[in-house]
Amino acid sequence: MDFAAYRRHDATSLAAEVAAGRVSAETLLALALARLAEVQPTLNPVCRLMEAEARAQLVRGLAAGPLAGVPLLIKDASQDYAGLPTACGSRALASLPPAREHAHVVRRLLDAGLVVFGKTNTPELALKGVTDPQAFGRSANPWDPARTPGGSSGGAAAAVASGVVPMAAGNDGGGSIRIPAACCGLVGLKPSRERISVGPAQGEVWFGASSEGVISRSVRDTALALDILAGPEPGDPVALPRPATPFVDQMRAPLRRLRIAWCADSPLGEPVDDEARLAVERTVALLRELGHDVEPARPDIDGRALAHSYLHIYFGQVPATVARAVAQGAREDGFEPLTRLVATLGRATSAEALARELQRWNDYARALGALHARYDLYLTPTLASPPVLHGTGDPPALQLAALGALRATGLLGLLKRAGLLDGVVMQMATDSLRHVPFTQLANLTGTPAISLPLHWTGDGLPLGVQFVAAPGEDGLLLQLAAEVEAARPWFDRLPPRFS
């Protein structure tokens, strides 16, 4: 097999080629490594190469799983690989001792026979919708290297879109699978909360807002990956059982006529690019052609309040992460300035304020549940604009400099505790989500959501659309995705420079 043939396969069909003896796992690994060497200087998708680990895996012998022999990249956040550090885009975390055991996700991927040969790039602590860590450098979008591949699973999306691998592992705490998928013309599913175990190092990530998953080029790969990864592990705080019917089979089942609500307005009240609106409008037309009932509707949710609640995940988690790292021997000044700023704001946030914002998740879930009582799915843009140019991931430079100066004097925490920064904090929430305001709802409510590559702009940039389902309805999302994929195929639509 040469690279042109490799590029024509998804993970499912590559595994079939290996099983039939038409290609070896060694050949597939060599093709993936060669492609990575070709694209790494421009796209920087991988922050840690694991060629030695992959070759050792081949020597030991692959597990006889459903994707045996297929090369895979895991994300350098939450997806611990025993014997290696999990840096999460951070110079400080990279200095800590290596993981003692595989994350359950990584173990299940290895048990499926996948050959893990690297970790993909992510912003520090996976905090952004762009991938630009100071520790490892920014990743670029194969469709236009001057633009972001999204984040936080941006390295994963860049690797898949450029042909290094047909599928890569990621995770999604606020859109971190769906945003890169939308930026790079790929399929990105955030499964239902607790569908996939995030242990054993953690019980829940980001108070349960984050889910593990994959970014892929085909719906069937995403369904098969969910079959591989789904199911509880001993000690999980919540046990969501495997479905009686595998997701691959659910995906193939005939789809009933659905009731689908749609909205293209930003929940923040901010502008939405005409291309994002067009993406939804064309999807609405397609859904009606397929026989579904589609009408405008939206959940009764204050989007700015939700953004404020979402920012409090950071205020709760970032100080704890920094403190834990420092206790293990890392230096706090090893974290990026923005991370240290968020940590300071978080330390100045009261337990009462954090609890209040967490309690509001129930309000958002009830409102979305009321919508799902009337509609099977909810359709929005995945992004409010096409993939943005590099340099848009941080707050405005002047604001960041002013807050950094206040932090250095010790006044920042005092002002935050006194409530004198409430407007600044709200503006930070709005600024950070302006281009990606649609994805956080599914994280705070625990519902499954998928981004599908159904639109390309006039400039040839991908711009995905998002479907949100009721809790536990991952299979319904996959059914609809498969139907749409058959009607408007995207698999052969590749970045011209990296085809």
Side-chain angles (χ1 to χ4, degrees):
M1 180 181 289
D2 60 11
F3 176 74
Y6 175 74
R7 190 77 154 117
R8 288 194 295 268
H9 288 278
D10 64 0
T12 301
S13 60
L14 282 178
E17 293 294 296
V18 173
R22 288 188 287 269
V23 68
S24 69
E26 290 79 5
T27 295
L28 295 184
L29 176 61
L31 287 167
L33 288 167
R35 183 58 164 180
L36 177 60
E38 182 181 354
V39 306
Q40 182 71 16
T42 302
L43 303 179
N44 191 33
V46 169
C47 61
R48 178 178 290 274
L49 186 62
M50 297 166 55
E51 181 177 354
E53 287 79 6
R55 295 200 182 281
Q57 187 184 350
L58 293 177
V59 170
R60 290 193 303 271
L62 298 174
L67 289 176
V70 178
L72 183 82
L73 296 165
I74 59 176
K75 184 178 176 181
D76 196 22
S78 295
Q79 297 175 355
D80 292 342
Y81 191 100
L84 297 176
T86 302
C88 203
S90 173
R91 186 174 291 107
L93 296 187
S95 69
L96 297 182
R100 291 180 293 180
E101 57 185 323
H102 294 325
H104 293 315
V105 165
V106 172
R107 176 178 54 77
R108 288 188 176 192
L109 293 169
L110 294 171
D111 287 347
L114 287 150
V115 181
V116 175
F117 69 99
K119 291 189 171 191
T120 55
N121 205 13
T122 182
E124 186 167 68
L125 305 192
L127 295 179
K128 300 179 187 177
V130 299
T131 300
D132 60 353
Q134 293 179 6
F136 302 108
R138 71 188 182 199
S139 296
N141 193 319
W143 292 87
D144 179 359
R147 298 176 184 270
T148 183
S152 62
S153 305
V160 175
S162 62
V164 177
V165 286
M167 179 179 76
N171 35 53
D172 188 318
S176 290
I177 284 175
R178 290 161 289 154
I179 292 166
C183 286
C184 294
L186 305 169
V187 179
L189 171 69
K190 183 206 85 71
S192 292
R193 183 175 296 164
E194 309 295 346
R195 175 69 72 191
I196 299 170
S197 174
V198 299
Q202 302 181 78
E204 294 181 312
V205 176
W206 289 11
F207 305 112
S210 185
S211 298
E212 301 294 310
V214 300
I215 295 174
S216 75
R217 289 173 60 204
S218 70
V219 176
R220 68 176 184 175
D221 275 1
T222 294
L224 179 54
L226 192 57
D227 281 325
I228 290 166
L229 295 174
E233 293 282 350
D236 286 349
V238 177
L240 192 62
R242 293 176 183 269
T245 303
F247 289 109
V248 166
D249 293 335
Q250 292 185 48
M251 174 199 73
R252 295 178 180 137
L255 183 61
R256 60 183 170 82
R257 186 171 186 167
L258 299 179
R259 297 167 299 157
I260 302 173
W262 71 273
C263 179
D265 295 329
S266 169
L268 297 176
E270 295 287 319
V272 174
D273 191 276
D274 289 344
E275 289 281 6
R277 292 186 180 278
L278 183 59
V280 170
E281 291 165 3
R282 287 180 173 174
T283 302
V284 168
L286 171 61
L287 293 169
R288 287 175 175 156
E289 288 176 19
L290 295 171
H292 301 296
D293 297 322
V294 191
E295 61 185 53
R298 65 189 300 176
D300 184 16
I301 291 171
D302 182 339
R304 290 176 65 83
L306 188 145
H308 195 258
S309 296
Y310 180 74
L311 184 61
H312 276 70
I313 296 176
Y314 294 2
F315 287 168
Q317 295 291 327
V318 173
T321 299
V322 171
R324 185 167 57 249
V326 170
Q328 293 176 298
R331 293 172 55 92
E332 183 161 344
D333 61 9
F335 288 97
E336 295 179 16
L338 180 60
T339 302
R340 284 179 275 147
L341 175 62
V342 172
T344 299
L345 292 171
R347 292 183 189 116
T349 300
S350 69
E352 177 187 355
L354 176 59
R356 183 171 59 247
E357 296 300 332
L358 292 175
Q359 288 165 359
R360 285 178 176 159
W361 293 19
N362 178 64
D363 300 334
Y364 310 138
R366 301 296 172 181
L368 184 57
L371 184 79
H372 278 133
R374 295 181 290 131
Y375 299 98
D376 299 294
L377 299 174
Y378 178 44
L379 166 66
T380 73
T382 308
L383 313 170
S385 65
V388 296
L389 295 167
H390 293 303
T392 60
D394 289 337
L398 288 177
Q399 182 190 69
L400 193 59
L403 293 174
L406 287 172
R407 179 186 179 277
T409 65
L411 291 174
L412 185 66
L414 293 174
L415 294 172
K416 176 68 167 60
R417 289 186 185 92
L420 298 177
L421 292 179
D422 291 350
V424 173
V425 169
M426 190 64 243
Q427 191 60 49
M428 285 179 65
T430 301
D431 288 344
S432 66
L433 301 181
R434 177 172 285 112
H435 297 289
V436 290
F438 298 102
T439 53
Q440 296 76 35
L441 175 61
N443 297 92
L444 271 57
T445 58
T447 53
I450 195 168
S451 181
L452 299 177
L454 289 176
H455 184 73
W456 272 258
T457 70
D459 295 332
L461 295 172
L463 188 56
V465 298
Q466 174 184 236
F467 291 91
V468 180
E473 292 285 2
D474 309 60
L476 181 63
L477 280 181
L478 291 166
Q479 275 186 285
L480 185 278
E483 181 181 67
V484 168
E485 181 184 35
R488 294 289 188 276
W490 56 71
F491 188 83
D492 293 327
R493 190 155 190 173
L494 305 172
R497 183 172 172 181
F498 295 96
S499 60

